[in-house]
């Protein structure tokens, strides 16, 4: 059965599989709005998109490949309509009318599939493709194919999703909301969907720090990433790119300017330009490489095997006892064979204002890193370590809890010892 624009039909059954052709994460984003009798969301949790892929009660679930699973029996009584929508990313040019074969196929268990092609779109950059709505005891489907020329912001506003434009009017530097979540002006340059994703991650970071008594700490954030040959798969599959993206909210919450100071290392190291929230994706594409010359950097000269002492010594040389704290986020897939030199360096560094959080990515032998918690002879415990076989399987709440739980405890001890500032 095919629905023309504006046409509707009754839905048979309660379990639906809605497949949206033409959606492509990062270019054409797919989303669902759960709406009440006013055609508004009850709250932002009713906005279902890639970083919030399940509705509060589990009735609506975004799956990979542009598929939405819907169980109408689980929808709350005050939800009267589901609007399935798409929007072009702010960085994408053109309009939705240029997207080939855009449309919706609704599969009903034991019944005929319903096809609702996107028809009549012209200058829209965001559009509702179909509505699934209550009619008495039944549910119906309508082909809407209509939207907004200005894109995502007007779409989400129309359905009552809160849009925080505050970062555009904040002065240089960062500011903090009443709930302790900090923002920087560059966030205003992100698309609405990317800002929603960032806001959720910032909230998780703030929650960990608040729980541990670390909310309010201001710290320089350094990011160190292993670029040895054994990391090839992590670079090829863009795991390292996603690591950078997930570390940006940490810098926003802790650093005065919200920027990450990045290094890549192997035998030697290179300090790269700072990472700002609005250009993190472009930064990763420019600078995350294992070999060749990119962005003015000869990656072959850095080497292809591990030697941690030079990069660690470089960071230590920039620390001064009694100055503001530094958080070093050190991502590696192992090595650390210079056990004697590294343990000596970490003992000496324990009197300086930096906490070293080492993170193992991939299955590897991490050597001395696994013994850091038991390392004696330090003024304060200045390091933590945990390993993740696959960082992509760990959600943001778990990742930030493991990443940041020890840092506030170190800060308290370091302040008490006169190592760093409150």
């Amino acid at each position: 059965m095919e629905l023309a624009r504006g046409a509707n039909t009754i839905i048979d059954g309660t379990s639906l599989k809605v497949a949206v052709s033409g959606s492509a994460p990062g270019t054409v984003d797919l989303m669902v709005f759960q709406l009440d009798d006013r055609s508004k969301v009850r709250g932002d949790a009713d906005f279902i998109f890639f970083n919030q892929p399940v509705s509060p009660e589990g009735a609506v679930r975004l799956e990979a490949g542009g598929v939405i699973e819907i169980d109408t029996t689980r929808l709350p009584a005050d939800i009267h309509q589901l609007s399935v929508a798409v929007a072009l990313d702010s960085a994408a040019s053109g309009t939705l009318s240029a997207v080939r074969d855009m449309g919706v196929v609704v599969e009903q268990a034991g019944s005929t599939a319903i096809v609702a092609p996107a028809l009549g779109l012209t200058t829209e950059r965001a559009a509702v493709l179909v509505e699934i709505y209550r009619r008495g005891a039944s549910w119906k489907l309508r082909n809407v194919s209509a939207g907004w020329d200005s894109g995502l912001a007007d779409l989400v506003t129309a359905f009552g999703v809160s849009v925080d434009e505050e970062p555009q009017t904040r002065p240089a530097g960062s500011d903090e909301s009443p709930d302790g979540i900090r923002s920087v002006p560059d966030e205003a340059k992100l698309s609405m969907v990317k800002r929603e994703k960032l806001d959720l991650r910032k909230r998780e970071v703030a929650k960990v720090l608040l729980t541990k008594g670390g909310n309010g700490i201001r710290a320089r954030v350094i990011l160190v990433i292993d670029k040895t040959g054994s990391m090839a798969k992590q670079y090829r599959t863009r795991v390292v790119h996603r690591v950078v993206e997930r570390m940006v909210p940490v810098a926003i919450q802790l650093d005065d300017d919200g920027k990450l100071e990045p290094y890549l290392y192997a035998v030697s190291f290179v300090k790269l330009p700072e990472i700002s929230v609005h250009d993190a994706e472009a930064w990763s594409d420019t600078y995350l490489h294992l070999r060749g010359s990119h962005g003015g950097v000869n990656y072959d000269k850095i080497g292809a095997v591990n030697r941690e002492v030079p990069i660690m010594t470089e960071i230590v040389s920039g620390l001064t006892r009694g100055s503001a704290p530094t958080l070093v986020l050190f991502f590696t897939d192992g090595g650390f064979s210079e056990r004697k030199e590294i343990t000596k360096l970490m003992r000496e560094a324990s009197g300086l204002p930096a906490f070293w959080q080492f993170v193992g990515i991939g299955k590897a032998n991490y050597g001395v890193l696994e013994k850091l918690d038991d390392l004696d002879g330090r003024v304060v415990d200045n390091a933590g370590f945990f390993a993740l076989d696959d960082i992509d399987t760990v959600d943001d709440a778990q990742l930030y809890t493991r990443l940041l739980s020890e840092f506030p405890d170190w800060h308290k001890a370091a302040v008490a010892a006169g190592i760093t500032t409150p």
Side-chain angles (χ1 to χ4, degrees), residues 35-37 42 72-80 134 139:
L35 307 174
D36 59 18
D37 57 359
R42 300 167 301 175
T72 59
T73 64
R74 299 180 67 180
L75 286 168
D78 56 348
I79 293 299
H80 291 253
R134 290 185 193 269
W139 288 87

Side-chain angles (χ1 to χ4, degrees), residues 283-332:
W283 184 96
S284 293
D285 289 338
T286 301
Y287 294 108
L288 291 180
H289 303 280
L290 292 179
R291 56 188 63 88
S293 293
H294 309 274
V297 178
N298 185 338
Y299 287 71
D300 295 325
K301 287 187 176 180
I302 307 172
V305 296
N306 293 74
R307 189 158 181 252
E308 289 75 23
V309 171
I311 177 59
M312 295 176 72
T313 301
E314 168 71 9
I315 293 171
V316 168
S317 70
L319 301 173
T320 304
R321 186 182 177 95
S323 61
T326 294
L327 173 61
V328 182
L329 304 173
F330 202 116
F331 286 83
T332 177

Side-chain angles (χ1 to χ4, degrees), residues 173-190:
S174 58
D175 202 358
E176 187 171 308
S177 65
D179 55 2
I181 301 172
R182 305 181 76 227
S183 296
V184 292
D186 279 354
E187 292 176 40
K189 300 175 184 178
L190 298 176

Side-chain angles (χ1 to χ4, degrees), residues 113-146:
I114 305 168
V115 179
L119 301 171
L121 295 178
T122 55
T123 57
E124 295 88 348
R125 288 181 57 84
V128 173
L129 299 181
V130 297
E131 295 172 344
I132 298 168
Y133 59 99
R134 290 185 193 269
R135 276 298 179 266
S138 301
W139 288 87
K140 300 187 75 174
L141 175 75
R142 177 185 291 117
N143 184 346
V144 178
S145 296

Side-chain angles (χ1 to χ4, degrees), residues 1 5 14 21 60 83 114 119 133 181 230 322 328 360 401 403 415:
M1 178 189 300
R5 186 183 192 188
T14 59
S21 57
V60 180
S83 286
I114 305 168
L119 301 171
Y133 59 99
I181 301 172
S230 58
V328 182
T401 296
L403 193 76
V415 168

Side-chain angles (χ1 to χ4, degrees), residues 236-256:
R236 185 177 66 253
T237 58
R238 299 179 71 85
V239 169
V240 179
H241 293 63
R242 293 189 287 277
V243 165
V244 170
E245 180 184 351
R246 294 173 83 174
M247 294 307 104
V248 168
V250 177
I252 292 174
Q253 192 65 26
L254 289 173
D255 196 284
D256 282 335

